[in-house]
């Protein structure tokens, strides 16, 4: 039986632990994502989406609960192992692109491969291939300041694919784009999911985008619900 690539059980996240102003953001999240699935997590600002995204992306640790990512219990992994997981297993796409200024598109795409120790010639060839794939081959020598918002996001998607990660994690990737450009970005995600079998987790406040994906869950007040229903996501095997 196929195992989830993401398996979260009883995930809590608290801040200011032990202090009078202790704040609990996530209240016992359960979540399974299967290999090759395109899942959306939809919800308004303040619902806990960003906190959950940081945990899924191993940018932060849960206060309590179990998280197994592609067979690795990241809840118990050392910091150096988490850094390697972030670099090789997860590709990040952010709303504000997060490209390095004064560095051209090709070198931005090469950056994760450089950290992974990929030789220079192979980095360059892979970056060119990815930029061509996202329709940015003619802009590979341009710096971010010379690119439109949609072009920056396509470079960011190419960079996210640099180390051929198992998972693409996209946080409001169309939020800063007009509708036509946002459509182009979503089409790229569908293509990578369909043609490359990439598991994609899309964080969004846009229900229309969520309805395009294989499945969506709704986040409200630090809890996940099945689709639009009032049924909380819960699994029996905690």
């Amino acid at each position: 039986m196929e195992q989830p690539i993401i398996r979260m059980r009883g995930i809590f996240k608290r801040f200011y632990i032990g202090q009078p102003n202790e704040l609990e953001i996530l209240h016992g999240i359960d979540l399974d994502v299967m290999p090759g699935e395109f899942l959306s997590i939809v919800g308004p600002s303040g619902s806990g989406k960003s906190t959950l995204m940081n945990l899924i992306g191993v940018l932060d640790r849960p206060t309590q609960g179990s998280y197994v990512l592609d067979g690795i219990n990241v809840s118990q992994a050392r910091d150096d192992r988490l850094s390697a997981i972030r670099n090789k297993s997860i590709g990040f796409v952010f709303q504000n692109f997060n490209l390095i200024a004064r560095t051209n598109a090709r070198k931005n795409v090469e950056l994760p491969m450089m950290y992974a120790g990929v030789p220079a010639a192979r980095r360059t060839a892979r970056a060119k291939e990815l930029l061509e794939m996202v329709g940015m081959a003619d802009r590979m020598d341009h710096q971010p300041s010379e690119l439109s918002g949609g072009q920056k996001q396509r470079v960011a998607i190419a960079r996210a694919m640099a180390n051929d990660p198992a998972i693409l994690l996209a946080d409001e990737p169309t939020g800063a784009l007009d509708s036509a450009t946002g459509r182009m970005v979503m089409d790229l995600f569908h293509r990578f999911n369909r043609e490359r079998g990439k598991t994609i987790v899309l964080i969004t406040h846009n229900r229309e985008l969520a309805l395009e994906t294989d499945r969506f869950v709704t986040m409200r007040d630090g809890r996940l619900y099945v689709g639009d229903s009032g049924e909380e996501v819960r699994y029996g095997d905690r």
Side-chain angles (χ1 to χ4, degrees):
M1 184 177 176
E2 192 173 36
Q3 295 296 311
I5 192 168
I6 291 172
R7 184 183 188 273
M8 292 181 146
R9 292 293 183 274
I11 296 291
F12 288 81
K13 183 61 183 178
R14 304 182 186 100
F15 296 93
Y16 318 118
I17 296 170
Q19 299 180 35
N21 58 339
E22 180 174 306
L23 182 62
E24 185 173 282
I25 303 296
L26 302 180
H27 314 300
I29 295 288
D30 286 1
L31 180 64
D32 280 355
V33 182
M34 302 305 293
E37 185 175 16
F38 194 165
L39 171 79
S40 292
I41 300 173
V42 62
S45 298
S47 60
K49 297 195 310 298
S50 294
T51 300
L52 180 60
M53 187 215 75
N54 287 340
L55 298 183
I56 293 173
V58 201
L59 297 168
D60 198 2
R61 293 177 184 265
T63 307
Q64 179 182 332
S66 168
Y67 177 22
V68 177
L69 172 63
D70 206 9
I72 299 167
N73 189 338
V74 298
S75 313
Q76 301 172 357
R78 291 176 11 178
D79 286 346
D80 57 346
R81 186 72 187 277
L82 296 183
S83 179
I85 290 168
R86 283 192 298 271
N87 183 245
K88 294 184 179 179
S89 297
I90 304 171
F92 295 91
V93 182
F94 299 99
Q95 178 177 345
N96 59 354
F97 321 124
N98 284 9
L99 298 178
I100 306 300
R102 296 185 295 280
T103 301
N104 68 29
R106 177 179 57 79
K107 289 181 180 178
N108 263 283
V109 176
E110 286 187 30
L111 199 59
M113 293 183 278
M114 186 178 73
Y115 288 137
V118 177
R122 195 159 14 127
R123 290 199 310 260
T124 299
R126 171 77 171 158
K128 289 179 177 178
E129 174 194 348
L130 288 167
L131 286 167
E132 184 171 352
M133 196 180 301
V134 300
M136 289 294 292
D138 60 339
R139 295 286 190 273
M140 68 174 63
D141 294 322
H142 288 60
Q143 295 185 7
S145 61
E146 301 172 305
L147 302 176
S148 69
Q151 290 171 335
K152 290 176 187 176
Q153 195 60 293
R154 282 186 280 163
V155 172
I157 292 170
R159 181 185 59 188
M161 289 286 289
N163 287 326
D164 197 23
I167 297 166
L168 286 178
L169 183 56
D171 184 19
E172 300 281 8
T174 65
L177 307 176
D178 62 68
S179 57
T181 310
R183 176 71 269 152
M184 186 186 307
V185 166
M186 284 299 292
D187 287 345
L188 279 173
F189 285 127
H190 284 294
R191 180 180 166 196
F192 284 128
N193 174 249
R194 184 177 60 253
E195 296 178 7
R196 304 269 171 147
K198 292 300 173 188
T199 304
I200 301 177
V201 178
L202 172 70
I203 313 291
T204 182
H205 68 276
N206 188 327
R207 188 175 176 277
E208 289 183 11
L209 293 184
L211 289 171
E212 290 186 20
T213 61
D214 297 334
R215 177 170 64 99
F216 75 95
V217 292
T218 299
M219 191 148 208
R220 292 195 300 271
D221 301 323
R223 290 183 169 85
L224 283 182
Y225 298 88
V226 179
D228 282 329
S229 76
E231 178 188 353
E232 194 169 355
V233 177
R234 281 282 179 260
Y235 297 93
D237 53 339
R238 280 298 186 91

